[in-house]
């Protein structure tokens, strides 16, 4: 019994030390994350081995693990840029990106945990200034926004593709022009729309006039052909046919067949 306290005390100390070591050595990598191992008594950042994946890991307590999010992320940026004619433009954009999983160690060693602020955002600003500077405010406001978005993406991608960053998309959220320029562009667009509408009405009226001229010309040609084909004999035959039909009417009482001035029969006694 006298020896029990002497054995228990070291055991308790050992258990406490082991608990501390395990707590310091146990690393849990969350979903969508990866860890970069740093060996304090080795070569520093491990770049020739894959990053630590999701789940539970045991590492030496004197080493460190830097955890990075490796799923797709989004970063927002508001920028003031200049158009081709030197006007200030407010551009709101966002980028979808993620670090290259296989190069996570090199990213940590060369760029650090603040790689977004050091690499990605400056690249977006540089590309945006370069691209927007090629366009006028009118183009930025209307038809060229999709083209601008694609060009900013392509130029940003060229900058970051060797920086261990995978750029998935650049989205131009908003383009804000000075109020006076915006109002002037809107007036110009409205005038252009009204002009196009007026031209459409003129074209429609011209087509309708052409249709009426063609229709009138057709009627005139038909009447001319008909007049040329009507002889006295034909007119007399047509008159006889009409007279015979009238004679069959119950209202016709007396039909005198003779020669009038027109050579047609004469009908008498209608009620």
């Amino acid at each position: 019994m006298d020896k029990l306290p002497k054995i228990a005390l070291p055991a308790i100390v050992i258990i406490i030390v082991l608990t501390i070591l395990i707590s310091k050595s146990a690393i849990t990598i969350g979903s969508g994350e990866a860890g970069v191992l740093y060996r304090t008594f080795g070569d520093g950042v491990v770049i020739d081995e894959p990053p630590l994946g999701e789940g539970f890991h045991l590492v030496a307590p004197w080493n460190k693990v830097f955890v990075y999010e490796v799923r797709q992320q989004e970063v927002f940026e508001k920028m003031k840029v200049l158009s081709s004619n030197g006007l200030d433009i407010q551009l709101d954009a966002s980028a979808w990106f993620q670090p290259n999983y296989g190069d996570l160690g090199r990213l940590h060693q060369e760029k650090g945990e603040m790689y977004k602020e050091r690499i990605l955002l400056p690249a977006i600003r540089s590309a945006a200034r370069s691209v927007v500077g090629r366009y006028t405010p009118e183009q930025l406001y209307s038809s060229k926004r999709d083209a601008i978005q694609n060009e900013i993406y392509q130029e940003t991608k060229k900058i970051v593709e060797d920086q261990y960053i995978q750029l998935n998309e650049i989205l131009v959220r908003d383009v804000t022009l000075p109020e006076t320029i915006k109002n002037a562009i809107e007036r110009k667009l409205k005038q252009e729309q009204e002009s196009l509408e007026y031209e459409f009405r003129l074209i429609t009226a011209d087509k309708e006039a052409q249709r009426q001229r063609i229709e009138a010309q057709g009627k005139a040609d038909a009447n001319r052909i008909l007049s040329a084909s009507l002889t006295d004999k034909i007119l007399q035959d047509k008159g006889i046919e009409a007279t015979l039909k009238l004679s069959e009417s119950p209202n016709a009482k007396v039909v005198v067949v003779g020669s009038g001035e027109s050579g047609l029969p004469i009908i008498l006694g209608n009620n």
Side-chain angles (χ1 to χ4, degrees):
M1 297 294 296
D2 293 336
K3 293 183 177 180
L4 184 58
K6 295 180 181 179
I7 296 174
L9 185 60
I12 294 173
V13 172
I14 291 172
I15 292 173
I16 293 173
V17 171
L18 288 175
T19 302
I20 294 173
L21 289 176
I22 292 173
S23 65
K24 293 289 187 181
S25 302
I27 299 295
T28 301
I29 306 296
S31 178
E33 296 177 337
V36 176
L37 180 61
Y38 178 87
R39 294 195 175 105
T40 304
F41 300 109
D43 297 327
V45 178
V46 176
I47 60 175
D48 53 357
E49 297 177 12
L52 301 178
E54 299 175 4
F56 180 80
H57 300 273
L58 283 175
V59 299
W62 49 84
N63 293 335
K64 297 179 181 179
V65 175
F66 298 90
V67 179
Y68 282 79
E69 185 174 3
V70 292
R71 69 187 112 193
Q72 179 172 279
Q73 305 164 60
E74 185 174 23
V75 63
F76 295 88
E77 183 68 1
K78 291 181 178 289
M79 299 164 280
K80 282 192 176 292
V81 293
L82 297 178
S83 64
S84 61
N85 55 359
L87 290 175
D88 284 331
I89 308 295
Q90 176 76 38
L91 187 70
D92 295 351
S94 65
W96 292 349
F97 72 98
Q98 58 198 99
N100 290 337
Y101 186 87
D103 296 319
L104 202 57
R106 290 183 173 83
L107 176 67
H108 178 74
Q109 185 181 59
E110 298 180 19
K111 315 302 175 185
E113 295 176 282
M114 298 182 65
Y115 68 93
K116 296 186 288 292
E117 292 77 10
R118 293 173 177 171
I119 304 298
L120 184 59
L121 292 179
I124 295 173
R125 295 186 200 109
S126 175
R129 291 188 179 99
S130 174
V131 171
V132 173
R134 304 170 193 161
Y135 294 94
T136 64
E138 290 86 347
Q139 292 171 324
L140 295 171
Y141 187 75
S142 55
S143 61
K144 295 296 184 179
R145 184 171 297 191
D146 290 341
I148 292 166
Q149 178 173 287
N150 183 63
E151 289 180 29
I152 294 175
Y153 167 74
Q154 295 296 338
E155 293 209 12
T156 307
K157 186 177 181 181
K158 289 180 183 178
I159 298 173
V160 303
E161 62 184 355
D162 295 329
Q163 306 296 323
Y164 318 119
I165 300 172
Q166 176 183 316
L167 183 65
N168 298 332
E169 190 63 83
I170 292 287
L171 303 175
V172 175
R173 302 290 185 178
D174 189 32
V175 177
T176 306
L177 305 178
E179 194 65 26
T180 54
I181 301 300
K182 179 182 176 181
N183 292 337
I185 292 174
E186 289 178 347
R187 287 195 299 270
K188 180 181 177 181
L189 291 175
K190 182 179 179 180
Q191 290 172 356
E192 290 176 352
Q193 186 64 33
E194 291 174 349
S195 176
L196 290 174
E197 183 180 354
Y198 180 70
E199 290 179 5
F200 176 77
R201 289 201 301 268
L202 289 178
I203 292 172
T204 303
D206 183 63
K207 288 183 178 180
E208 177 62 18
Q210 291 181 16
R211 186 193 67 78
Q212 292 178 358
R213 285 196 297 270
I214 292 171
E215 183 178 350
Q217 185 65 43
K219 290 181 179 178
D221 292 342
N223 291 333
R224 186 170 56 254
I225 293 171
L226 181 61
S227 298
S229 65
L230 292 177
T231 63
D232 292 340
K233 179 62 177 173
I234 291 174
L235 290 173
Q236 189 176 19
D237 290 343
K238 293 292 184 181
I240 292 171
E241 290 177 5
T243 303
L244 291 175
K245 289 181 179 180
L246 288 173
S247 68
E248 296 172 357
S249 170
N251 295 326
K253 301 302 182 179
V254 179
V255 178
V256 180
V257 179
S259 295
E261 294 180 0
S262 61
L264 298 177
I266 301 173
I267 299 173
L268 302 174
N270 291 335
N271 290 334

mmCIF file of all heavy atoms in Angstrom, residues 66-93:
data_model
loop_
_atom_site.group_PDB
_atom_site.id
_atom_site.type_symbol
_atom_site.label_atom_id
_atom_site.label_comp_id
_atom_site.label_asym_id
_atom_site.label_seq_id
_atom_site.Cartn_x
_atom_site.Cartn_y
_atom_site.Cartn_z
ATOM 1 N N PHE A 66 -0.939 23.797 -41.912
ATOM 2 C CA PHE A 66 -1.672 24.990 -42.351
ATOM 3 C C PHE A 66 -2.846 24.520 -43.224
ATOM 4 O O PHE A 66 -2.639 23.853 -44.238
ATOM 5 C CB PHE A 66 -0.756 25.931 -43.130
ATOM 6 C CG PHE A 66 0.382 26.459 -42.320
ATOM 7 C CD1 PHE A 66 1.597 25.776 -42.262
ATOM 8 C CD2 PHE A 66 0.245 27.627 -41.584
ATOM 9 C CE1 PHE A 66 2.650 26.267 -41.504
ATOM 10 C CE2 PHE A 66 1.295 28.120 -40.829
ATOM 11 C CZ PHE A 66 2.495 27.436 -40.783
ATOM 12 N N VAL A 67 -4.035 24.853 -42.789
ATOM 13 C CA VAL A 67 -5.248 24.358 -43.452
ATOM 14 C C VAL A 67 -5.744 25.391 -44.474
ATOM 15 O O VAL A 67 -5.886 26.582 -44.154
ATOM 16 C CB VAL A 67 -6.344 24.055 -42.415
ATOM 17 C CG1 VAL A 67 -7.614 23.570 -43.114
ATOM 18 C CG2 VAL A 67 -5.847 23.005 -41.421
ATOM 19 N N TYR A 68 -6.029 24.903 -45.691
ATOM 20 C CA TYR A 68 -6.535 25.744 -46.776
ATOM 21 C C TYR A 68 -7.883 25.206 -47.246
ATOM 22 O O TYR A 68 -8.108 23.995 -47.287
ATOM 23 C CB TYR A 68 -5.570 25.742 -47.970
ATOM 24 C CG TYR A 68 -4.359 26.623 -47.802
ATOM 25 C CD1 TYR A 68 -3.266 26.190 -47.039
ATOM 26 C CD2 TYR A 68 -4.296 27.867 -48.405
ATOM 27 C CE1 TYR A 68 -2.142 26.991 -46.891
ATOM 28 C CE2 TYR A 68 -3.179 28.674 -48.267
ATOM 29 C CZ TYR A 68 -2.115 28.234 -47.502
ATOM 30 O OH TYR A 68 -1.013 29.039 -47.360
ATOM 31 N N GLU A 69 -8.751 26.110 -47.633
ATOM 32 C CA GLU A 69 -9.992 25.708 -48.297
ATOM 33 C C GLU A 69 -9.681 25.458 -49.771
ATOM 34 O O GLU A 69 -9.111 26.323 -50.453
ATOM 35 C CB GLU A 69 -11.059 26.802 -48.170
ATOM 36 C CG GLU A 69 -12.411 26.389 -48.726
ATOM 37 C CD GLU A 69 -13.501 27.413 -48.478
ATOM 38 O OE1 GLU A 69 -13.184 28.488 -47.915
ATOM 39 O OE2 GLU A 69 -14.666 27.137 -48.836
ATOM 40 N N VAL A 70 -10.048 24.271 -50.261
ATOM 41 C CA VAL A 70 -9.699 23.901 -51.636
ATOM 42 C C VAL A 70 -10.933 23.807 -52.536
ATOM 43 O O VAL A 70 -10.807 23.527 -53.718
ATOM 44 C CB VAL A 70 -8.923 22.564 -51.671
ATOM 45 C CG1 VAL A 70 -7.559 22.731 -51.029
ATOM 46 C CG2 VAL A 70 -9.706 21.453 -50.982
ATOM 47 N N ARG A 71 -12.125 24.019 -52.000
ATOM 48 C CA ARG A 71 -13.318 24.050 -52.851
ATOM 49 C C ARG A 71 -13.425 25.426 -53.520
ATOM 50 O O ARG A 71 -12.677 26.347 -53.187
ATOM 51 C CB ARG A 71 -14.564 23.732 -52.033
ATOM 52 C CG ARG A 71 -14.950 24.804 -51.053
ATOM 53 C CD ARG A 71 -16.104 24.347 -50.166
ATOM 54 N NE ARG A 71 -15.676 24.174 -48.787
ATOM 55 C CZ ARG A 71 -16.387 23.567 -47.871
ATOM 56 N NH1 ARG A 71 -17.540 23.027 -48.185
ATOM 57 N NH2 ARG A 71 -15.951 23.457 -46.640
ATOM 58 N N GLN A 72 -14.367 25.559 -54.460
ATOM 59 C CA GLN A 72 -14.525 26.836 -55.164
ATOM 60 C C GLN A 72 -14.964 27.928 -54.198
ATOM 61 O O GLN A 72 -15.849 27.740 -53.367
ATOM 62 C CB GLN A 72 -15.553 26.702 -56.285
ATOM 63 C CG GLN A 72 -15.778 28.014 -57.045
ATOM 64 C CD GLN A 72 -16.653 27.839 -58.264
ATOM 65 O OE1 GLN A 72 -16.172 27.421 -59.311
ATOM 66 N NE2 GLN A 72 -17.928 28.155 -58.159
ATOM 67 N N GLN A 73 -14.324 29.083 -54.332
ATOM 68 C CA GLN A 73 -14.623 30.236 -53.486
ATOM 69 C C GLN A 73 -14.964 31.434 -54.382
ATOM 70 O O GLN A 73 -14.711 31.419 -55.583
ATOM 71 C CB GLN A 73 -13.417 30.573 -52.608
ATOM 72 C CG GLN A 73 -12.919 29.405 -51.769
ATOM 73 C CD GLN A 73 -11.532 29.645 -51.225
ATOM 74 O OE1 GLN A 73 -11.297 30.601 -50.485
ATOM 75 N NE2 GLN A 73 -10.593 28.773 -51.581
ATOM 76 N N GLU A 74 -15.484 32.468 -53.758
ATOM 77 C CA GLU A 74 -15.821 33.688 -54.490
ATOM 78 C C GLU A 74 -15.256 34.893 -53.746
ATOM 79 O O GLU A 74 -15.349 34.982 -52.525
ATOM 80 C CB GLU A 74 -17.332 33.839 -54.644
ATOM 81 C CG GLU A 74 -17.737 35.031 -55.511
ATOM 82 C CD GLU A 74 -19.236 35.072 -55.769
ATOM 83 O OE1 GLU A 74 -19.988 34.483 -54.969
ATOM 84 O OE2 GLU A 74 -19.644 35.681 -56.766
ATOM 85 N N VAL A 75 -14.668 35.779 -54.511
ATOM 86 C CA VAL A 75 -14.135 37.008 -53.934
ATOM 87 C C VAL A 75 -14.720 38.182 -54.716
ATOM 88 O O VAL A 75 -14.881 38.120 -55.935
ATOM 89 C CB VAL A 75 -12.585 37.021 -53.999
ATOM 90 C CG1 VAL A 75 -12.083 36.996 -55.432
ATOM 91 C CG2 VAL A 75 -12.018 38.218 -53.257
ATOM 92 N N PHE A 76 -15.089 39.250 -53.994
ATOM 93 C CA PHE A 76 -15.700 40.424 -54.607
ATOM 94 C C PHE A 76 -14.689 41.571 -54.645
ATOM 95 O O PHE A 76 -13.838 41.695 -53.765
ATOM 96 C CB PHE A 76 -16.932 40.872 -53.816
ATOM 97 C CG PHE A 76 -18.053 39.876 -53.839
ATOM 98 C CD1 PHE A 76 -18.119 38.869 -52.884
ATOM 99 C CD2 PHE A 76 -19.034 39.931 -54.809
ATOM 100 C CE1 PHE A 76 -19.142 37.942 -52.887
ATOM 101 C CE2 PHE A 76 -20.070 39.011 -54.825
ATOM 102 C CZ PHE A 76 -20.120 38.010 -53.861
ATOM 103 N N GLU A 77 -14.826 42.395 -55.667
ATOM 104 C CA GLU A 77 -13.926 43.535 -55.797
ATOM 105 C C GLU A 77 -14.665 44.698 -56.449
ATOM 106 O O GLU A 77 -15.347 44.546 -57.469
ATOM 107 C CB GLU A 77 -12.702 43.159 -56.638
ATOM 108 C CG GLU A 77 -11.673 44.263 -56.783
ATOM 109 C CD GLU A 77 -10.955 44.594 -55.466
ATOM 110 O OE1 GLU A 77 -11.247 43.954 -54.432
ATOM 111 O OE2 GLU A 77 -10.111 45.500 -55.486
ATOM 112 N N LYS A 78 -14.545 45.887 -55.828
ATOM 113 C CA LYS A 78 -15.074 47.125 -56.393
ATOM 114 C C LYS A 78 -13.888 47.948 -56.880
ATOM 115 O O LYS A 78 -12.938 48.171 -56.134
ATOM 116 C CB LYS A 78 -15.867 47.910 -55.345
ATOM 117 C CG LYS A 78 -17.180 47.263 -54.936
ATOM 118 C CD LYS A 78 -17.914 48.123 -53.920
ATOM 119 C CE LYS A 78 -19.244 47.523 -53.532
ATOM 120 N NZ LYS A 78 -20.224 47.609 -54.624
ATOM 121 N N MET A 79 -13.954 48.386 -58.119
ATOM 122 C CA MET A 79 -12.813 49.075 -58.718
ATOM 123 C C MET A 79 -13.253 50.361 -59.408
ATOM 124 O O MET A 79 -14.359 50.426 -59.960
ATOM 125 C CB MET A 79 -12.141 48.173 -59.756
ATOM 126 C CG MET A 79 -11.595 46.876 -59.206
ATOM 127 S SD MET A 79 -11.250 45.695 -60.537
ATOM 128 C CE MET A 79 -12.902 45.055 -60.850
ATOM 129 N N LYS A 80 -12.382 51.340 -59.400
ATOM 130 C CA LYS A 80 -12.542 52.538 -60.214
ATOM 131 C C LYS A 80 -11.562 52.428 -61.373
ATOM 132 O O LYS A 80 -10.350 52.325 -61.169
ATOM 133 C CB LYS A 80 -12.271 53.801 -59.399
ATOM 134 C CG LYS A 80 -13.436 54.202 -58.491
ATOM 135 C CD LYS A 80 -13.242 55.602 -57.944
ATOM 136 C CE LYS A 80 -14.466 56.030 -57.126
ATOM 137 N NZ LYS A 80 -15.649 56.201 -57.982
ATOM 138 N N VAL A 81 -12.108 52.421 -62.576
ATOM 139 C CA VAL A 81 -11.287 52.279 -63.773
ATOM 140 C C VAL A 81 -11.625 53.406 -64.741
ATOM 141 O O VAL A 81 -12.632 54.105 -64.575
ATOM 142 C CB VAL A 81 -11.519 50.908 -64.442
ATOM 143 C CG1 VAL A 81 -10.990 49.780 -63.550
ATOM 144 C CG2 VAL A 81 -13.000 50.679 -64.724
ATOM 145 N N LEU A 82 -10.802 53.568 -65.765
ATOM 146 C CA LEU A 82 -10.992 54.627 -66.748
ATOM 147 C C LEU A 82 -11.412 54.033 -68.082
ATOM 148 O O LEU A 82 -10.879 53.016 -68.525
ATOM 149 C CB LEU A 82 -9.692 55.425 -66.934
ATOM 150 C CG LEU A 82 -9.177 56.188 -65.710
ATOM 151 C CD1 LEU A 82 -7.864 56.886 -66.049
ATOM 152 C CD2 LEU A 82 -10.208 57.196 -65.220
ATOM 153 N N SER A 83 -12.396 54.690 -68.718
ATOM 154 C CA SER A 83 -12.815 54.279 -70.057
ATOM 155 C C SER A 83 -11.814 54.797 -71.077
ATOM 156 O O SER A 83 -10.836 55.466 -70.741
ATOM 157 C CB SER A 83 -14.212 54.821 -70.356
ATOM 158 O OG SER A 83 -14.191 56.240 -70.376
ATOM 159 N N SER A 84 -12.084 54.497 -72.353
ATOM 160 C CA SER A 84 -11.150 54.891 -73.403
ATOM 161 C C SER A 84 -11.024 56.406 -73.536
ATOM 162 O O SER A 84 -9.993 56.900 -74.001
ATOM 163 C CB SER A 84 -11.597 54.294 -74.742
ATOM 164 O OG SER A 84 -12.885 54.771 -75.090
ATOM 165 N N ASN A 85 -12.062 57.152 -73.131
ATOM 166 C CA ASN A 85 -11.995 58.612 -73.195
ATOM 167 C C ASN A 85 -11.705 59.249 -71.838
ATOM 168 O O ASN A 85 -11.919 60.436 -71.645
ATOM 169 C CB ASN A 85 -13.286 59.181 -73.788
ATOM 170 C CG ASN A 85 -14.523 58.713 -73.033
ATOM 171 O OD1 ASN A 85 -14.413 57.945 -72.078
ATOM 172 N ND2 ASN A 85 -15.681 59.169 -73.460
ATOM 173 N N GLY A 86 -11.210 58.449 -70.880
ATOM 174 C CA GLY A 86 -10.718 58.984 -69.616
ATOM 175 C C GLY A 86 -11.749 59.237 -68.545
ATOM 176 O O GLY A 86 -11.433 59.883 -67.547
ATOM 177 N N LEU A 87 -12.974 58.717 -68.695
ATOM 178 C CA LEU A 87 -14.005 58.915 -67.682
ATOM 179 C C LEU A 87 -13.907 57.843 -66.597
ATOM 180 O O LEU A 87 -13.590 56.689 -66.875
ATOM 181 C CB LEU A 87 -15.392 58.872 -68.320
ATOM 182 C CG LEU A 87 -15.750 60.053 -69.230
ATOM 183 C CD1 LEU A 87 -17.092 59.815 -69.886
ATOM 184 C CD2 LEU A 87 -15.766 61.362 -68.440
ATOM 185 N N ASP A 88 -14.204 58.237 -65.357
ATOM 186 C CA ASP A 88 -14.181 57.293 -64.235
ATOM 187 C C ASP A 88 -15.390 56.366 -64.304
ATOM 188 O O ASP A 88 -16.527 56.811 -64.429
ATOM 189 C CB ASP A 88 -14.216 58.045 -62.896
ATOM 190 C CG ASP A 88 -12.870 58.671 -62.571
ATOM 191 O OD1 ASP A 88 -11.849 58.121 -63.004
ATOM 192 O OD2 ASP A 88 -12.848 59.713 -61.893
ATOM 193 N N ILE A 89 -15.112 55.077 -64.196
ATOM 194 C CA ILE A 89 -16.151 54.051 -64.213
ATOM 195 C C ILE A 89 -16.025 53.218 -62.944
ATOM 196 O O ILE A 89 -14.925 52.799 -62.572
ATOM 197 C CB ILE A 89 -16.010 53.126 -65.446
ATOM 198 C CG1 ILE A 89 -15.924 53.940 -66.748
ATOM 199 C CG2 ILE A 89 -17.145 52.119 -65.483
ATOM 200 C CD1 ILE A 89 -17.158 54.721 -67.070
ATOM 201 N N GLN A 90 -17.158 52.984 -62.284
ATOM 202 C CA GLN A 90 -17.190 52.097 -61.114
ATOM 203 C C GLN A 90 -17.567 50.696 -61.592
ATOM 204 O O GLN A 90 -18.637 50.489 -62.155
ATOM 205 C CB GLN A 90 -18.211 52.589 -60.093
ATOM 206 C CG GLN A 90 -18.393 51.669 -58.887
ATOM 207 C CD GLN A 90 -17.254 51.781 -57.896
ATOM 208 O OE1 GLN A 90 -16.742 52.869 -57.658
ATOM 209 N NE2 GLN A 90 -16.854 50.666 -57.326
ATOM 210 N N LEU A 91 -16.671 49.740 -61.366
ATOM 211 C CA LEU A 91 -16.886 48.370 -61.824
ATOM 212 C C LEU A 91 -16.942 47.437 -60.620
ATOM 213 O O LEU A 91 -16.008 47.397 -59.815
ATOM 214 C CB LEU A 91 -15.752 47.954 -62.769
ATOM 215 C CG LEU A 91 -15.902 46.612 -63.471
ATOM 216 C CD1 LEU A 91 -17.002 46.681 -64.515
ATOM 217 C CD2 LEU A 91 -14.583 46.212 -64.135
ATOM 218 N N ASP A 92 -18.038 46.697 -60.500
ATOM 219 C CA ASP A 92 -18.193 45.694 -59.445
ATOM 220 C C ASP A 92 -18.072 44.317 -60.085
ATOM 221 O O ASP A 92 -18.860 43.977 -60.982
ATOM 222 C CB ASP A 92 -19.536 45.824 -58.749
ATOM 223 C CG ASP A 92 -19.676 47.135 -57.995
ATOM 224 O OD1 ASP A 92 -18.664 47.855 -57.877
ATOM 225 O OD2 ASP A 92 -20.785 47.449 -57.538
ATOM 226 N N ALA A 93 -17.106 43.537 -59.614
ATOM 227 C CA ALA A 93 -16.878 42.218 -60.198
ATOM 228 C C ALA A 93 -16.604 41.206 -59.095
ATOM 229 O O ALA A 93 -16.254 41.559 -57.970
ATOM 230 C CB ALA A 93 -15.709 42.265 -61.176
#
